[in-house]
Amino acid sequence: MSVRYIDSKKTFLLQTRNSAYQMKISEYGYLLHLYYGERLEDEDLGYLIQMQDRGFSPNPNEAGNDRTFSLDVLPQEFSSDGSCDYRLSSIEVKNGDGSYAFVGKVVRHEIYAGKYTLAGLPSLRPSGQDTVDTLEIWLQDEATQLTAVLSYCVFEEKDVITRTVRVVNQSPETIYLNRLMSMTMDFMDSDYDFIHLDGRHTMEREFHRDPLHYGIQTIGSFRGASSHQHNPFAVLCEHQANEDYGRCYGFSFVYSGNFVCKVEKDQYDQMRIIMGIHPKHFSYQLKPGESFAAPEVVLAYSGKGLTHLTHLYHNIYRNNLCQSPYVKEARPILINSWEAAYFDFDEKKILDIAREAVDMGVEMLVLDDGWFGNRNDDSAALGDWDVNTEKLPRGLTGLSEEIHAMGLKFGLWIEPEMVSENSELYRRHPDWCLQMPRRQPSRGRYQLVLDLSRSDVRDYIVTSINEVLDSTKIEYVKWDMNRFITDAWSIIAEKEKQGEIYHRYILGLYDIMDRIILTHPEILFCGCSGGGGRFDPGMLYYQPQIWCSDNTDAVCRLKIQYGTTFVYPVSALESHVSVCPNHQTGRTVPIKTRGIAAMDGILGYELDSTCLTKAEKEICREQIGRYRKYYALITEGDYYRLTNPYEFAEYVAWEHVSQDKKEALLSLVLTERESNDAQRYVKAKGLIPQMHYRVEGMEGTFSGQLLMSAGLPVPSSLLQYEAVQYEIRAV
Ligand code: GLA
């Protein structure tokens, strides 16, 4: 079994293929963290805990005169609150007597084969061949009987451990849970860098790496969604770590709402990281007998650099997260109407775009925003999911039939969570949106947010959206969310429960996705929130791909994709070729480069195909052919970032390598060109050193070693923003 309890030493051992995790029950029943890192066998790491009398770090009462036992210093699995630990806390509760304290001690544990369940929340699922074991440890507060159940699930072969916490109110009083972190991890050292992915609308998931400093470093969101601004993912790695070397720890939160991740470097150069639902405006009422389950965190450890950490996440997210049968199938290459026509289209325009696209080799037409109600701009009609017959006189069915007659699939845009004030829905149910008493709700893109904590609102959404999806043949849906939450107050909740609304919104969202997405397994769903405002594992559980960004500039996308690939598999990144000058940046980049950049994901087009020249269409046709040829390699191969665009400006390069390492696709975009430039070389990765390979466009063969050590010359003929792509194939 990958989980064991050694009674004589009171230690818990968790082992994956290459990592180990160890905990110990201390003499007074506290659960101490001993180790997470390179796989060890049965060695007992209890000796790592060195007791010392630390001034001004208090000692729990049961330690008597032992001044060396302080929870302010000891490494813990789940830190107490309101007692002796002044560091970041795992939990904050307001007890029935008004006190703010939780001090948990181990009262029991259970080890079983298989995985715990998390009702109503997305989480990893064991797939066919996985050996998966679970450890659950009950920490109880003697004074209040409140219990925190820590769950660990070990995916042995996948080299990943998941964690979550459930709080059960076994006390006779109502308590308020004001914070519950899904994961707390203490380290006895702190010479680490903190890597996080941050940005803004149209420039998401930029890579940031900061050395830890004394005090607390924080990322998070309380926008009601995981957000463009920070992603629920973090890495702690040694200062020396790079793509190929060094100890790296990954933390990925399977949740789509408010989150926080904090790292604290303490007075003794130790480090604590916590991750969970953001405590801001969070207060969960637990009556006697009630419980609360925190979302899951996925932990991965790599002793050999960031690329291997990436491979662990890509592998488990490809195989154990997405429900959609599409996750393993070739996704249709689509053309989307948004940047082609925005709101200004009619049936003829859409059919013209489709007809030209057929000629390019495109496989699906996606009708974006503007097809319903009186939606001629973004100020109206959200919530009214009836077709706009002025634009589409034969309805969705007429359009869909024509599109299918051309041999294309048909996809549709929806934004189910929102309502426009100028809509029939709002006029009928003005109380269905989130709003606070005595205040007018704030608008975002003119729209308000529906109160998904209400079951009647959810039922309306499920019925009206399912009616659309069942009304005609639709093979793809883009599920958008174009503003963040404000006014988080629900008219149906008691005042003591208003602190639950942000979380209940997300539970409501998962419920409607269960009832719309999971009941339509034949439809490919794509997530979107103004591009990548909700690019997180929670959404990927339902939707195998997410629109990366509203920024379609190929050069900006190189940075966005660079950051995104640290954790999310290439098969999750929807990426489109659009026109130049680019609508967001005004930049002009050759169409070949736009194609190569978009092939680092799920390729699509977002342009008016009727305006392309013959030559451009020919290039697109060729791009689509190449993409189809390398589809499995791109979406299932191992991913290598060959350059860091934040450290090296001249070119950006990346590579997809097949699992057997016999085939690779190396792509490179020249991002900075000066006159009479130095000769540059690009070094491949992931090949078999002794194997010989042919490189597309080059004479002879090259050993894997040579391609990885000496590399290939970057063609000096490349001009700024031009790109090359090499197939590398074993002979
Ligand atoms: C969001 C999406 C875009 C497009 C518009 C439509 O901004 O990210 O791709 O669908 O909404 O309103």
Side-chain angles (χ1 to χ4, degrees), residues 201 336 338 343 368-370 375 378 413 415 445 478 480-482 528-532 547 549-550 606:
H201 177 222
N336 178 297
W338 182 240
F343 293 103
D368 209 282
D369 197 354
R375 183 95 167 153
D378 54 13
W413 178 97
E415 192 176 355
R445 207 195 191 201
K478 178 174 170 189
D480 213 337
M481 191 245 192
N482 272 317
C528 180
S529 172
W547 179 228
S549 178
D550 274 348
E606 177 138 353

Side-chain angles (χ1 to χ4, degrees), residues 337-399:
S337 67
W338 182 240
E339 285 197 22
Y342 296 101
F343 293 103
D344 185 17
F345 62 82
D346 56 17
E347 188 186 275
K348 179 177 178 311
K349 173 85 196 160
I350 298 299
L351 291 176
D352 287 348
I353 292 174
R355 211 166 286 113
E356 290 298 327
V358 174
D359 213 27
M360 288 156 54
V362 162
E363 297 155 347
M364 178 160 72
L365 180 289
V366 176
L367 180 58
D368 209 282
D369 197 354
W371 60 266
F372 51 92
N374 61 337
R375 183 95 167 153
N376 297 314
D377 56 35
D378 54 13
S379 69
L382 288 170
D384 299 345
W385 299 108
D386 304 312
V387 72
N388 178 321
T389 44
E390 274 169 36
K391 291 182 189 176
L392 304 173
R394 292 183 296 157
L396 285 177
T397 308
L399 180 66

Side-chain angles (χ1 to χ4, degrees), residues 438-454:
R438 293 171 288 158
R439 296 173 203 278
Q440 294 301 319
S442 324
R443 302 184 181 98
R445 207 195 191 201
Y446 305 115
Q447 61 204 51
L448 306 180
V449 184
L450 288 170
D451 179 358
L452 300 197
S453 73
R454 290 176 67 150

Side-chain angles (χ1 to χ4, degrees), residues 205 331-332 334-336 364 366 368 476-478 524-528 531 535 540 544-552 557 560-561 564 569-577 597-598 600-606 627:
R205 294 173 302 286
R331 323 272 170 85
L334 63 84
I335 189 160
N336 178 297
M364 178 160 72
V366 176
D368 209 282
Y476 166 105
V477 168
K478 178 174 170 189
L524 167 62
F525 282 82
C526 167
C528 180
F535 203 122
L540 284 177
Q545 64 195 58
I546 298 178
W547 179 228
C548 255
S549 178
D550 274 348
N551 185 346
T552 57
R557 278 289 180 116
I560 296 170
Q561 287 164 193
T564 309
V570 176
S571 58
L573 279 61
E574 192 173 306
S575 211
H576 295 173
V577 173
D600 192 15
I602 298 297
L603 172 73
Y605 290 80
E606 177 138 353
Y627 186 68

